[in-house]
Amino acid sequence: MKFPKHRFPASNCLRSFRLGKTLAISGLFLYLTFVLFFTKSYWPASEFSSPFQQIFAPSQTTPPPHSTSPTNISHLVFGLSGSLRTWRHRKAYIESWWRPSVTRGYIYLDAAPTNEFLPWSAASPPYRVFDDISKIVEESRHVAPIQARMLHAILEVHREGDQGVRWYVMGDDDSIFFVDNWVDVLAKYDHTKYIYIGGHSESLQSNVKNSFDQGFGGGGIALSYPLISAVVKDLEGCLERYPNLPSYDLITQYCVDELGVSLSAERGIHQIDLKGDISGFLSSHPQAPLMSLHHFGKVDPIFPSMDRFQSVKHLMKSAKVDQSRLLQQTICYHRPTNWSFSVSWGYSAHIYEKVFSYKSSADNNLKNEIHNDTYLMPYEP
């Protein structure tokens, strides 16, 4: 019996396999060529492409000194937003922490200084006048022109072209900055990456109204050099895309979000969305370096026997001794008298006429026990 002959397409399969292999190799070659030679995006490299870029990137036997040395005060540039109308009252706040010829940065005003402020004080940051962005505001129908102008200052301070910058710190003219602590905190981060640092509000309502993912700009936000360089490439476009956002803090968050960067929150940056007496808040500061205090003109003087400006100077006396310990709380006991002492270094001392352990200090009855036994005393360094 003869069986029918079948023709198996072995040769066709082999040719198809070879063709597919050739196409796969060619496709991989074209992809690597595109990644290595034709991509120069400011977007973060993907996990897939970065290994190839690292393998084939030109070797650098001697890295730039500024990228490997410890972060110091010369690596920070401050961009402060102000106005000519408020400068008379807020100048003292800035001059309390600004160090001429040491700190770097600029104060941005809505108009050129009048004769009242000229010659410009050497104890203040150099001034700049905000760019006129009225055309952008009109075309986008932005709901908050002043906030849009403050956002634009990010581009303007970057445009100054300061050398050796690792971090740009943006803030308001009614904030007190503790520069040494900013240096110490920023030194923990990799300044060669996209980093966005800020603080939350002390008010739940403010966080809900705005965002838990934004850094409140009055107390200060820090943008690493690579991040701010990426943001300014389309900052005006970003401003036009979000005309309904009412604050520059929130617009900044949206612009940074577009680059896939989230907030790194620091507990020592304080927006101070509080009113009246904030001595209790300051006396129970978290175990984190004090970096800034915003809205200083909207709360009671932090030392009862002084006005606001005297209070700032008094607090800065302790800051000049050791900023890292400022407001850091220590609790100790005097057993013979059964007294407890809570000392917030450089600011206050509370005396409780009873021994409270750390555990019992959270007891709800504590409020009643210490109501008549608490004293606030200015610290003399």
Side-chain angles (χ1 to χ4, degrees):
M1 182 177 178
K2 293 183 178 180
F3 292 93
K5 293 182 179 179
H6 294 280
R7 299 183 61 184
F8 296 95
S11 59
N12 291 338
C13 288
L14 182 61
R15 282 196 295 271
S16 298
F17 174 77
R18 289 174 177 171
L19 179 60
K21 183 178 180 181
T22 302
L23 291 175
I25 294 175
S26 300
L28 180 60
F29 176 79
L30 290 174
Y31 174 77
L32 293 176
T33 302
F34 176 79
V35 169
L36 295 174
F37 300 106
F38 296 98
T39 57
K40 194 173 183 180
S41 172
Y42 53 84
W43 293 82
S46 69
E47 294 181 358
F48 180 73
S49 65
S50 57
F52 295 102
Q53 291 174 327
Q54 293 173 4
I55 294 173
F56 295 100
S59 60
Q60 294 183 351
T61 56
T62 306
H66 68 273
S67 65
T68 58
S69 60
T71 296
N72 59 56
I73 195 172
S74 69
H75 295 129
L76 278 61
V77 169
F78 289 85
L80 308 171
S81 294
S83 72
L84 204 59
R85 180 179 60 84
T86 60
W87 181 244
R88 180 186 302 103
H89 307 290
R90 297 180 176 180
K91 174 183 176 182
Y93 293 144
I94 292 183
E95 292 186 348
S96 70
W97 62 268
W98 186 261
R99 305 174 191 172
S101 302
V102 178
T103 40
R104 297 202 292 170
Y106 311 90
I107 174 70
Y108 287 85
L109 304 173
D110 53 353
T114 59
N115 291 334
E116 177 185 358
F117 304 112
L118 296 176
W120 191 255
S121 173
S124 298
Y127 76 86
R128 297 290 187 270
V129 178
F130 284 111
D131 285 356
D132 182 3
I133 61 166
S134 56
K135 184 177 179 181
I136 297 175
V137 171
E138 291 173 3
E139 291 178 350
S140 64
R141 297 182 180 179
H142 205 286
V143 298
I146 295 178
Q147 299 296 316
R149 184 177 64 197
M150 293 171 66
L151 176 78
H152 201 267
I154 294 177
L155 185 153
E156 296 166 35
V157 69
H158 179 270
R159 189 178 60 202
E160 291 288 337
D162 292 280
Q163 297 298 309
V165 183
R166 294 183 181 180
W167 299 95
Y168 286 92
V169 180
M170 309 300 295
D172 287 358
D173 60 351
D174 60 340
S175 293
I176 313 299
F177 288 89
F178 300 89
V179 180
D180 293 341
N181 287 342
W182 275 92
V183 173
D184 292 342
V185 171
L186 294 179
K188 300 186 304 181
Y189 293 87
D190 185 350
H191 65 275
T192 66
K193 300 184 181 299
Y194 288 6
I195 306 292
Y196 164 48
I197 298 172
H200 295 128
S201 172
E202 299 78 16
S203 167
L204 177 62
Q205 182 180 2
S206 295
N207 288 308
V208 171
K209 179 182 178 181
N210 294 279
S211 171
F212 282 93
D213 296 320
Q214 77 167 35
F216 282 75
I221 60 173
L223 305 173
S224 64
Y225 183 85
L227 177 58
I228 199 173
S229 299
V231 168
V232 299
K233 289 183 179 181
D234 191 34
L235 185 137
E236 293 185 348
C238 183
L239 186 60
E240 294 172 346
R241 285 192 290 277
Y242 303 109
N244 296 320
L245 296 181
S247 71
Y248 101 93
D249 321 62
L250 198 54
I251 306 173
T252 301
Q253 180 207 328
Y254 274 56
C255 295
V256 171
D257 277 348
E258 289 185 353
L259 298 176
V261 181
S262 57
L263 175 70
S264 297
E266 287 289 341
R267 295 188 299 166
I269 302 174
H270 295 298
Q271 178 72 2
I272 308 295
D273 285 330
L274 304 172
K275 297 180 180 179
D277 181 4
I278 63 169
S279 58
F281 172 78
L282 298 179
S283 297
S284 57
H285 191 273
Q287 296 298 305
L290 173 64
M291 300 173 69
S292 65
L293 296 172
H294 182 41
H295 288 153
F296 217 82
K298 294 185 178 181
V299 296
D300 295 343
I302 61 173
F303 293 111
S305 61
M306 305 176 185
D307 61 27
R308 290 186 179 90
F309 301 121
Q310 291 172 334
S311 294
V312 170
K313 291 181 179 179
H314 193 61
L315 186 65
M316 293 308 295
K317 289 181 180 179
S318 299
K320 291 177 181 178
V321 175
D322 185 355
Q323 286 194 11
S324 66
R325 290 194 293 154
L326 195 60
L327 298 192
Q328 299 304 291
Q329 190 177 29
T330 300
I331 299 176
C332 55
Y333 310 95
H334 187 248
R335 294 292 181 180
T337 59
N338 285 331
W339 280 17
S340 298
F341 298 84
S342 174
V343 179
S344 299
W345 191 89
Y347 179 61
S348 66
H350 289 74
I351 305 173
Y352 307 131
E353 295 181 0
K354 186 175 181 180
V355 173
F356 290 101
S357 67
Y358 179 79
K359 182 178 180 180
S360 67
S361 66
D363 195 311
N364 291 332
N365 294 327
L366 180 63
K367 296 179 182 178
N368 296 328
E369 294 287 348
I370 66 174
H371 179 72
N372 296 319
D373 301 319
T374 302
Y375 307 92
L376 183 64
M377 300 179 295
Y379 177 83
E380 292 291 348

